Amino acid sequence: MGNPFFLLAIMTSGTFAWILIASGHYFADMAPRSGFYATIYSFAGGLLFGLGASANGGCGVSTVSRFARGELPMFMTILGWIVAWLALEPLIPQATAPESIHLSGPIRYGTLMALSLVVLCCLFFVRPERRKLWLSILGIGLLGGLVFLYEPHWTPSGLLRSMSLSIWHGDTEKWPESTRFMLVAILILGMFVAAKLTGSFLLRGMAFQSAAKHFAAGCLMGVGAVMAKGGNDSQLLVAMPSLSLNGFAAVASMVVGIFVGLYVLALAGKDK
């Protein structure tokens, strides 16, 4: 939306997630997630997800946040995710799974520490109000990384996807654990309480055209997330801090998709 600084802050939101990954690795014997090489599906999935997010007006977590604030059209986006996973995921080639990237601990954490130092140095050269915004987003990314460390599939979209696949395959073993339902329930409760406290809760209905648009956007986001092995949240807070080339490629394509989508929507608005 013409604010490259805000985009940069979001792109670097997972910069310090490696601290939690390293802590879990060395102190709790938790194996760090492996990165993946980029494939054509990384780019194609990211592009589709970005196009869907631009039409929807938000990504996965922000969709649920807006729904918790009373925006009923977001329910159609969520329904689009489910339909996409149920109807289209079996058609996406699973044999094209990306190859894992195996990095030693010193290389992995040395690279991440160097990148973190670069971000910290950049913070000294921005205006105080921008520094506060950047640090806030880095803090949110750090907390998000902590939740991902506890449960890698904690996001609402991830929960719905697991439920959809369990129903599709008729496999009860794939049904999500109760802790995942609790995490999402608490997440939505927190969003609702925040909306009430800030006075931003407002129940908004939806017309047929709006419902159709958000449903189509949800389908695009769902298919894109499957192809790219995750939505923007998991790419920013898990894949990129794991130095996954798949994550970098997917996020770059998502940004391109969002830019193209917003450009097309602006042209359509001018025509009207």
Side-chain angles (χ1 to χ4, degrees):
M1 298 297 288
N3 190 346
F5 174 80
F6 189 61
L7 176 61
L8 177 64
I10 292 174
M11 295 279 282
T12 59
S13 59
T15 300
F16 296 99
W18 67 268
I19 298 174
L20 299 169
I21 297 172
S23 299
H25 182 193
Y26 289 109
F27 298 112
D29 198 26
M30 298 175 63
R33 289 173 60 93
S34 297
F36 298 96
Y37 288 101
T39 67
I40 187 63
Y41 292 97
S42 311
F43 294 97
L47 188 65
L48 289 175
F49 186 94
L51 290 171
S54 64
N56 183 58
C59 63
V61 174
S62 61
T63 295
V64 178
S65 175
R66 291 173 62 183
F67 180 68
R69 293 201 303 268
E71 296 190 34
L72 296 183
M74 294 299 108
F75 174 77
M76 297 305 297
T77 303
I78 297 171
L79 183 62
W81 297 343
I82 297 173
V83 170
W85 293 323
L86 281 175
L88 300 179
E89 184 171 30
L91 302 179
I92 298 173
Q94 298 299 315
T96 56
E99 182 183 352
S100 298
I101 301 175
H102 300 287
L103 297 173
S104 64
I107 293 178
R108 178 195 298 269
Y109 298 122
T111 303
L112 293 171
M113 287 177 66
L115 293 173
S116 299
L117 288 175
V118 171
V119 172
L120 287 175
C121 290
C122 291
L123 285 171
F124 287 100
F125 298 97
V126 298
R127 298 197 299 268
E129 62 273 15
R130 288 191 167 185
R131 185 182 303 123
K132 181 180 179 181
L133 171 64
W134 202 346
L135 287 171
S136 299
I137 293 178
L138 287 171
I140 293 171
L142 189 63
L143 291 174
L146 178 61
V147 182
F148 269 113
L149 186 66
Y150 173 72
E151 174 49 66
H153 306 290
W154 70 269
T155 58
S157 58
L159 176 67
L160 291 172
R161 177 168 181 258
S162 297
M163 292 169 62
S164 302
L165 293 179
S166 176
I167 295 171
W168 175 267
H169 296 288
D171 187 354
T172 56
E173 292 186 0
K174 293 184 178 180
W175 188 257
E177 300 85 355
S178 59
T179 53
R180 293 176 62 184
F181 286 96
M182 292 173 61
L183 278 171
V184 172
I186 294 171
L187 175 72
I188 295 175
L189 176 62
M191 292 173 172
F192 174 76
V193 171
K196 296 295 286 186
L197 291 176
T198 58
S200 60
F201 181 86
L202 178 62
L203 197 61
R204 303 170 181 87
M206 57 179 167
F208 175 79
Q209 184 177 1
S210 175
K213 182 188 77 169
H214 285 285
F215 177 76
C219 289
L220 281 175
M221 293 170 68
V223 175
V226 171
M227 295 175 68
K229 294 185 69 65
N232 64 309
D233 41 20
S234 58
Q235 302 291 1
L236 289 168
L237 301 180
V238 178
M240 289 175 64
S242 299
L243 298 180
S244 175
L245 297 181
N246 175 80
F248 285 95
V251 169
S253 295
M254 287 175 185
V255 173
V256 172
I258 292 171
F259 179 82
V260 171
L262 292 176
Y263 181 74
V264 171
L265 289 173
L267 288 180
K270 290 180 180 179
D271 292 339
K272 293 180 180 179

